Amino acid sequence: MSADPQNASQDLVFYGKDGTEAEEFIRSVMKAAKAAGRLRDNSWIADEVSVAFAGNALRWYIGLDDETRNDWMRLQRAIVQNYPAAPQRSLRDSSPPATE
């Protein structure tokens, strides 16, 4: 997806590797949609990203219901649910054990 509506979906590919890739994909899609003046056009965005899925992500995408595939708001929620962020380690988890 690029700022040029004619080439909007050619730049992005989503393989579904992990939550980080999912977040980067969503952010890139939103930036491109904004540049194209289509940030609030959920159907247009969903159409444009439909060709960006590859590998396991494509298989997952094909299995989604039509309502989710055709609405960017639903689709991005489905992406982050299926590809969650890696667990965050707290400072407490990374501290060495206390010695007495």
Side-chain angles (χ1 to χ4, degrees), residues 24-44:
E24 291 171 358
F25 175 72
I26 290 170
R27 187 168 185 270
S28 295
V29 168
M30 291 170 37
K31 285 175 65 177
K34 182 177 182 184
R38 300 285 198 130
L39 187 59
R40 298 187 188 276
D41 191 342
N42 290 323
S43 296
W44 181 84

Side-chain angles (χ1 to χ4, degrees), residues 15-82:
Y15 294 99
K17 294 176 188 169
D18 56 29
T20 300
E21 184 198 16
E23 292 169 8
E24 291 171 358
F25 175 72
I26 290 170
R27 187 168 185 270
S28 295
V29 168
M30 291 170 37
K31 285 175 65 177
K34 182 177 182 184
R38 300 285 198 130
L39 187 59
R40 298 187 188 276
D41 191 342
N42 290 323
S43 296
W44 181 84
I45 298 170
D47 286 346
E48 292 298 313
V49 302
S50 67
V51 297
F53 295 92
N56 288 336
L58 176 60
R59 293 176 180 282
W60 168 80
Y61 175 79
I62 290 170
L64 293 172
D65 61 79
D66 288 345
E67 288 179 356
T68 301
R69 284 197 319 262
N70 295 325
D71 184 298
W72 172 241
M73 298 302 288
R74 289 176 186 236
L75 182 54
Q76 66 183 327
R77 280 193 296 269
I79 291 169
V80 297
Q81 287 174 355
N82 197 65

Side-chain angles (χ1 to χ4, degrees), residues 96-100:
T99 59
E100 294 181 25

